[in-house]
Amino acid sequence: MSAPTTTVLPGLIAPARPRASGPRVLAASFRLTVLMFSADPQWIISSLMAPVVFALAAFEMYRFSSPVLVLFSILGAGMMSMWAQTLYGSGWATGQDREFGTLEPTLGAPVSYVWVVGGRVVWNTISGLIGGAVVLAVVGGAYGAPLPIRDPLTFVALFLLVMAALSTVGLLFSAVFVYSRYAGFVQNIGEFAFYVVTGCMFPVALLPGWTLPVSLAFPPTWALDALRSATFPGYGGLPWGLTGDLLGTVGLSVLYLAVSVGLFRYVTRHLAEKGAAEEW
Amino acid sequence: MPRPSFWRTFWANAVFAPRTSLSFMRVDFILGQVFVLSFTQMLFFAYVAGLAGNPQTPVSFVVIGNAVATMTYATVFAVCGTTDSEKNGGTIEHLLVSPANRIALYLGRGVFPMLVAMATVSVAMLYAVEVFHAPFPSSAVLPAVVSLLLCVFAMVGFGLLLAGVALWLRTSNILANIFLFIGFVLAGANFPLSYLPGPLQVAGELLPLTWGIASLRAAISGAPLLSVAGLWGLTLLGGGVSYALALGLWGVFERQATRTGSIIRF
């Protein structure tokens, strides 16, 4: 008896798909994000206008107190700009994919979704930096005196670290928002809560003790404290000092990054098994 | 064509707007706005005020200002968004040719935002007094309620005015956001208007929110009723001018739309 044979019609079984190059996808995603940002100017509100307004409000409240507090308003608003870009840009990108109907094709593409999100995060980081620079120019101009930054180069370097730390939060949120339609809710309702918890306009030491673990769960809290410790004259900061802040920032950021990548892999596999993302 | 009565139009819009042009005001958003956003916004500025230690802007000053400012989400932002809803839903053409009384129509659709705004600001005031310990004498309850009601009414008018401007825009979001954030700086919510340069002070004085906040603060501080009434008058004036301008803008838009036969380009 001969073994049963299976006849496969040509074309029914697709050959193994070549996987797209990750960096190339990242570059394409970056380009598309820039184009969409330019086409839809309402992002300027969250990334530029709102932080400038918050900075001016805080500046007016701080200006009669001490020059260091003016720095708080500038740095805080700069962080708000980056945060807005991170959360609105990176987090909302998943919701936007869902709205445009591009979530499933993107997740089904022969490349990890993390590269697509990565391209968005890169642009959001850059636009956040631009927002921070605008805040610095506006409030610095309104202040009309040299800002008491101890070491400008360290300030810039640690500002970049704050951005990197925020990006990891955005990356994690992007992955989580695949499973939720509440991205807009979290962004709008949770905005001030995040500003409070991470102490972007004031030291987290002012918050009640029980909130400290929540604050420390976010990498930007550590990065901001490092920035203030290194460059703000007379800033006390968290008890473990600059080295502890830097270690905490890097450690938590790596953890966020690892969890994000793992979550993206899980999301892609899970949705492929389920065959639909509309369920969430 | 018979014209529907004023009250029928008013009531139909008050009842249906939450399910149509205001359908983006979902229950979860409203609850989040009323209970969470108002608190976190006040908390944020209270910490800033606490750190600043400026005797002119104590925490009580800031939390009261922000408690009133929280109504901006429901009034300005939501009401302004109705224009987008009408355009996106394809109903604006029908609205423009309907024989409904325009005042009844716009006032009616403002009822729901007014209720949400009153709920938001009431809860925010509760936070201000109970959590942030802002002084609030019992004698101030009545004038404070009047201040808030007038301010909500005026702010809905201001939202309608922005909605009128938004008729010529592709999206109302930008406009609504601008005025949402401007309130933090120009309306005296966080610091006295006198801190601002002259032109910005004038811009702030054009906002009904400024007078609403001022009248509430005056009512709480036990100012003479006559001076509080003056601030009520200014709040009402701001609201009245906003409603009049909003109706005017809608009228211009209607005539332009009828003349050109197209509104899709806006």
Side-chain angles (χ1 to χ4, degrees):
Chain A
M1 205 167 91
S2 61
T5 56
T6 308
T7 307
V8 178
L9 294 174
L12 273 187
I13 295 178
R17 285 185 300 177
R19 291 188 68 78
S21 141
R24 196 173 161 184
V25 170
L26 188 135
S29 169
F30 172 78
R31 181 175 167 273
L32 189 64
T33 310
V34 175
L35 290 173
M36 288 178 75
F37 182 90
S38 320
D40 188 2
Q42 65 175 298
W43 295 111
I44 289 169
I45 290 162
S46 54
S47 64
L48 291 182
M49 196 189 149
V52 167
V53 166
F54 284 129
L56 286 174
F59 166 70
E60 291 294 348
M61 294 164 82
Y62 283 153
R63 68 190 299 187
F64 300 110
S65 304
S66 122
V68 174
L69 291 186
V70 176
L71 271 182
F72 266 92
S73 68
I74 292 174
L75 177 63
M79 192 203 138
M80 284 175 171
S81 170
M82 293 185 290
W83 163 247
Q85 270 312 108
T86 299
L87 191 60
Y88 280 80
S90 308
W92 180 239
T94 305
Q96 211 172 22
D97 265 338
R98 200 191 297 279
E99 197 176 310
F100 294 158
T102 47
L103 183 62
E104 288 88 346
T106 311
L107 287 169
V111 68
S112 172
Y113 188 50
V114 75
W115 290 106
V116 179
V117 175
R120 293 167 181 164
V121 169
V122 171
W123 167 248
N124 292 331
T125 307
I126 291 170
S127 61
L129 185 61
I130 295 168
V134 170
V135 167
L136 185 68
V138 171
V139 181
Y143 185 54
L147 294 166
I149 298 173
R150 207 186 287 149
D151 181 354
L153 276 180
T154 309
F155 182 86
V156 172
L158 289 174
F159 198 74
L160 291 172
L161 182 73
V162 176
M163 275 200 323
L166 268 166
S167 299
T168 60
V169 180
L171 207 59
L172 186 65
F173 277 26
S174 292
V176 172
F177 285 151
V178 173
Y179 286 116
S180 170
R181 289 174 187 250
Y182 278 83
F185 180 86
V186 173
Q187 286 152 16
N188 286 302
I189 304 298
E191 190 180 11
F192 276 107
F194 189 84
Y195 296 157
V196 170
V197 162
T198 53
C200 67
M201 282 280 186
F202 43 81
V204 284
L206 290 182
L207 297 172
W210 62 267
T211 61
L212 195 61
V214 182
S215 298
L216 296 179
F218 292 100
T221 308
W222 298 74
L224 269 173
D225 200 64
L227 176 53
R228 287 171 183 155
S229 296
T231 61
F232 284 20
Y235 179 74
L238 293 167
W240 40 81
L242 179 63
T243 313
D245 279 338
L246 289 174
L247 286 174
T249 307
V250 173
L252 259 185
S253 297
V254 168
L255 181 68
Y256 267 59
L257 202 61
V259 171
S260 304
V261 172
L263 201 53
F264 274 119
R265 285 196 182 136
Y266 173 79
V267 164
T268 314
R269 200 171 53 242
H270 186 210
L271 293 191
E273 282 167 10
K274 295 289 287 184
E278 290 94 359
E279 200 174 315
W280 294 281
Chain B
M1 202 158 48
R3 294 173 71 86
S5 76
F6 180 94
W7 290 112
R8 190 180 165 87
T9 305
F10 173 83
W11 184 244
N13 271 278
V15 171
F16 283 108
R19 281 173 273 175
T20 53
S21 58
L22 289 167
S23 59
F24 55 86
M25 290 180 82
R26 299 193 325 246
V27 175
D28 52 347
F29 266 94
I30 292 172
L31 291 176
Q33 186 185 300
V34 171
F35 293 103
V36 182
L37 187 57
S38 58
F39 178 72
T40 51
Q41 181 183 322
M42 291 162 75
L43 190 64
F44 174 78
F45 283 109
Y47 273 114
V48 173
L51 184 62
N54 183 348
Q56 282 189 305
T57 58
V59 170
S60 58
F61 178 93
V62 168
V63 293
I64 292 293
N66 278 281
V68 184
T70 54
M71 73 171 66
T72 316
Y73 299 105
T75 54
V76 171
F77 201 81
V79 175
C80 188
T82 55
T83 308
D84 277 3
S85 293
E86 299 283 4
K87 284 182 185 173
N88 294 336
T91 49
I92 199 160
E93 292 88 346
H94 307 281
L95 193 71
L96 292 179
V97 297
S98 79
N101 181 295
R102 298 297 186 252
I103 297 175
L105 194 147
Y106 301 133
L107 278 179
R109 67 172 52 179
V111 168
F112 185 62
M114 281 184 199
L115 293 174
V116 174
M118 272 314 287
T120 308
V121 79
S122 303
V123 171
M125 285 302 296
L126 196 68
Y127 289 146
V129 175
E130 295 298 327
V131 180
F132 298 101
H133 308 296
F136 192 88
S138 54
S139 59
V141 172
L142 192 62
V145 170
V146 174
S147 297
L148 292 176
L149 282 172
L150 290 178
C151 190
V152 164
F153 175 76
M155 287 295 282
V156 167
F158 191 67
L160 284 171
L161 168 62
L162 296 181
V165 177
L167 283 168
W168 278 271
L169 305 174
R170 176 59 65 182
T171 170
S172 66
N173 258 352
I174 295 175
L175 196 65
N177 270 298
I178 286 172
F179 281 90
L180 180 72
F181 289 117
I182 273 180
F184 287 118
V185 175
L186 299 187
N190 294 301
F191 51 85
L193 279 189
S194 57
Y195 283 19
L196 294 169
L200 291 181
Q201 280 184 40
V202 174
E205 285 164 0
L206 293 175
L207 301 172
L209 181 64
T210 305
W211 302 111
I213 292 173
S215 66
L216 181 69
R217 283 197 183 121
I220 290 173
S221 67
L225 192 62
L226 199 65
S227 67
V228 181
L231 295 169
W232 289 343
L234 288 169
T235 312
L236 261 183
L237 180 69
V241 170
S242 299
Y243 279 103
L245 287 174
L247 282 167
L249 280 172
W250 277 85
V252 170
F253 185 79
E254 283 186 36
R255 282 193 292 280
Q256 195 175 351
T258 313
R259 196 176 66 244
T260 59
S262 166
I263 57 169
I264 200 74
R265 64 199 170 98
F266 298 112

